[in-house]
Amino acid sequence: MALLALGACTGPAEPPPTSTSTEPVASEPRPSASPTVSLRTVAPKDLLIGSSVVGGGHLSGTDHPQPLESDAAYRQLLATQFATLTPENALKWASVEPARDTYDFAAGDAAVAFAEQHGEQVRGHNLMWHQSNPAWLTEGGFTPDQLRQILHDHISTVVGHYRGRIAAWDVANEIFDDYGRLQAGDPFTDALGVGIVADAFRWAHEADPAAVLYLNDYNVESSAAKRQAYLDLARQLLAQGVPLGGMGIQGHLSLQYPPFPPDFRSTLQAFADLGLDVAITELDVRMALTGGEATGDQLATQADWYRQAVAGCLAVARCVSVTMWGLPDTYSWVPATFTGQGAATPFIDDSTAKPAFDALVAALQAGRT
Ligand code: XIL
């Protein structure tokens, strides 16, 4: 995608299996065996550590496995490591309203029920975006007034369906580009301008007054223009009394663009200073793979970037959650999206943690600073 052009379930954790790893390679970080600790247990109580639930609904296909249905070890991983889950695709427009006024909540309901069963919160993702929209919406030839009605009905129905069960919603996803301009291709902002965003938040709030409502985007930490556009919009919305509650920093990072974004923590703080919650919503750290495998150096750098991302959140009192995207590596969206890149998550597979996992544990154990 163009997006980053610059850029029944299980009970308690099984006992850790005996390590199957062979002799460590001197000074090279190596995958650990099954994690013996849980991220959600070591995290401070006021920081929820999370994962997306991969796959989902009408976006299923070869690039979209459905492991929540088919993979017991994946369910175990989600059930034991995390305190918040985000359906990765199941609540996107094409999944949830594949035909006008025809809703399919099956995949979303399964993810939400799974989270509830394991005492985990849910982040809802998302209500308006320039991608994953069905053809009936993008090619329907609707007037601006009709689009307004369509968005109202969608938000009221979807947020209403999960009223009281979804703690936070990404209401407006990726509405600005890296130059701080409105992102082209969003059916609603294209037709109605940025003003529709305020209405989207009001409608979501009417449908579930308890949900914390977010803006959400990538590269906010690395593009000053994009960051400024969001800070300006957030100030305006708050001044108008619009129920904006949080800023989501996706955190799709790439070792190809070093160093770790120097403005990461200050970006979180800038939104917190407006009185918003902030969340890292889609953290992953991808890399170019030579011969299909990550090197020890790459894994060590990746671990350090995960550490820095979590440390950034811990340093900002209003930073409430860190959600990782598409784990484990075997299910990640990265290889299908960024040619030649991968190994973006802290797990190789459902039961094999990487150095990044150990770095996350250490960062979380260090607590708030
Ligand atoms: C991605 C999913 O991971 C893929 O499975 C899907 O094919 C496309 O969308 N920003 C977002 C997420 O807000 O919804 C995107 O998720 C990744 C980038």
Side-chain angles (χ1 to χ4, degrees):
M1 63 201 261
L3 132 102
L4 294 178
L6 43 130
C9 305
T10 50
E14 285 170 19
T18 317
S19 172
T20 52
S21 54
T22 50
E23 284 297 294
V25 179
S27 79
E28 290 247 317
R30 63 187 170 84
S32 352
S34 269
T36 54
V37 291
S38 159
L39 296 172
R40 82 165 174 211
T41 307
V42 297
K45 294 249 171 314
D46 60 355
L47 192 161
L48 301 182
I49 192 84
S51 172
S52 71
V53 180
V54 305
H58 289 253
L59 289 170
S60 58
T62 47
D63 287 347
H64 296 98
Q66 310 291 322
L68 194 64
E69 295 166 15
S70 60
D71 179 345
Y74 180 73
R75 287 196 293 274
Q76 176 81 354
L77 183 67
L78 292 191
T80 55
Q81 288 290 333
F82 302 106
T84 176
L85 298 179
T86 305
E88 188 165 318
N89 293 305
L91 298 176
K92 290 174 181 173
W93 202 303
S95 289
V96 84
E97 194 184 358
R100 189 169 180 185
D101 291 330
T102 301
Y103 291 85
D104 181 349
F105 291 110
D109 288 356
V112 171
F114 180 90
E116 287 172 341
Q117 205 171 345
H118 297 97
E120 299 167 358
Q121 284 197 3
V122 181
R123 299 194 83 260
H125 177 79
N126 55 57
L127 298 172
M128 53 182 285
W129 192 26
H130 65 100
Q131 291 189 25
S132 297
N133 291 314
W136 72 261
L137 171 60
T138 55
E139 291 162 25
F142 297 112
T143 64
D145 279 352
Q146 287 172 318
L147 284 166
R148 203 167 180 280
Q149 189 66 43
I150 287 168
L151 183 63
H152 170 270
D153 294 351
H154 180 85
I155 290 177
S156 303
T157 305
V158 176
V159 177
H161 180 82
Y162 292 108
R163 184 183 172 107
R165 301 175 72 196
I166 288 192
W169 273 101
D170 294 329
V171 175
N173 195 41
E174 302 181 356
I175 55 168
F176 292 123
D177 67 16
D178 288 338
Y179 301 96
R181 306 171 302 208
L182 268 186
Q183 171 72 57
D186 181 306
F188 304 104
T189 55
D190 277 358
L192 296 153
V194 73
I196 192 63
V197 172
D199 286 327
F201 277 86
R202 291 188 186 107
W203 295 329
H205 184 68
E206 275 166 28
D208 187 350
V212 184
L213 305 179
Y214 280 70
L215 296 162
N216 188 52
D217 212 329
Y218 61 90
N219 281 357
V220 183
E221 69 286 351
S222 56
S223 160
K226 182 179 255 190
R227 180 165 57 243
Q228 197 56 51
Y230 276 107
L231 287 167
D232 291 345
L233 176 64
R235 268 193 212 99
Q236 284 162 21
L237 293 173
L238 293 170
Q240 293 163 23
V242 173
L244 169 68
M247 180 69 204
I249 303 295
Q250 291 182 4
H252 292 296
L253 307 179
S254 170
L255 293 189
Q256 286 188 299
Y257 305 107
F260 179 85
D263 296 329
F264 195 85
R265 189 200 55 73
S266 61
T267 298
L268 300 178
Q269 189 64 56
F271 288 95
D273 287 346
L274 298 181
L276 298 176
D277 283 349
V278 290
I280 302 172
T281 53
E282 304 180 18
L283 182 61
D284 57 9
V285 182
R286 64 187 189 273
M287 60 191 77
L289 301 177
T290 319
E293 273 207 46
T295 66
D297 279 353
Q298 284 177 308
L299 294 179
T301 307
Q302 179 187 52
D304 187 57
W305 286 31
Y306 271 99
R307 180 191 63 74
Q308 292 196 63
V310 167
C313 182
L314 286 164
V316 175
R318 293 292 298 266
C319 186
V320 296
S321 64
V322 178
T323 294
M324 292 171 277
W325 206 245
L327 60 83
D329 289 349
T330 40
Y331 294 140
S332 165
W333 70 304
V334 166
T337 311
F338 304 95
T339 309
Q341 299 191 55
T345 86
F347 293 87
I348 294 176
D349 58 30
D350 295 329
S351 54
T352 316
K354 294 158 68 178
F357 176 82
D358 300 329
L360 287 168
V361 170
L364 291 167
Q365 278 173 334
R368 296 267 181 198
T369 47

